[in-house]
Amino acid sequence: MALNTLVIASHNAGKVKEIAALLAPFPFEVISAAALDIIEPEETGSTFAQNAVLKAEHCRDAAGHAALADDSGLEVAALNGDPGIYSARWAGPDHDFAMAMERIEKELNATANRGLVDRRANFTCALALAIPGQETKIFEGRIDGNLVWPPRGSRGFGYDPVFQPLGFEETFGQMDQIQKHAMSHRANAFKRLLAAKPF
Ligand code: IMP
């Protein structure tokens, strides 16, 4: 059955904007969970995929419509994948990403070996699509890069100013957002979703 409405199960304006742009070519209405006053469930999963499923199914059940959730974050190799699923939580209740980026930089410097720091990091995204009456589907994507310091650029959101994707001079915070959205972890997860032709 063709979809009439798809709810984006996120209250993060940056993500909603990016996902809504990716869904623009489809003929169904796209609305955000915030616009429907649907409260986000607690993220109790231990992986991006588990948290994405939790959010998508909660939103599907609350709205009675298909729901698409994203759980994503920054994994820093030298910090054993931290902040990972805790990426939003490292910024605290005030969403203070300047503080979260500084914490990463401090913890990274503490791992220095003879003055050398492994600055590799990746963003990962798990998308969960929960359609009423169907089994929830999960699609994952990532993008690899390095962390820079100090932060550069004021575009994007979250950790964008310290993330420099492999092969590029600019950080996600400096880059044209159309360019970021074409290569991001979310775009890569989305390519997998589209390849599965779920709509
Ligand atoms: P979630 O809402 O629990 O999935 O939180 C994901 C967090 O990861 C966000 O609040 C950001 O801090 C970070 N994050 C995810 N995707 C991006 C991105 O594209 N750029 C910068 N930070 C991101």
Side-chain angles (χ1 to χ4, degrees), residues 88-96 99:
R89 283 166 266 189
W90 274 35
D94 295 333
H95 308 290
D96 186 347
M99 173 187 79

Side-chain angles (χ1 to χ4, degrees), residues 140-196:
E140 293 198 83
R142 66 182 265 166
I143 176 142
D144 292 286
N146 288 293
L147 295 180
V148 302
W149 194 259
R152 303 198 317 238
S154 54
R155 292 168 157 173
F157 66 98
Y159 299 93
D160 279 343
V162 288
F163 185 80
Q164 183 181 29
L166 280 186
F168 292 84
E169 290 297 320
E170 291 181 318
T171 66
F172 269 179
Q174 294 171 300
M175 199 174 265
D176 181 296
Q177 294 302 286
I178 294 171
Q179 194 182 3
K180 177 200 162 185
H181 293 175
M183 71 167 80
S184 76
H185 44 310
R186 243 179 307 285
N188 290 332
F190 212 79
K191 279 174 202 152
R192 294 199 164 152
L193 180 149
L194 292 184

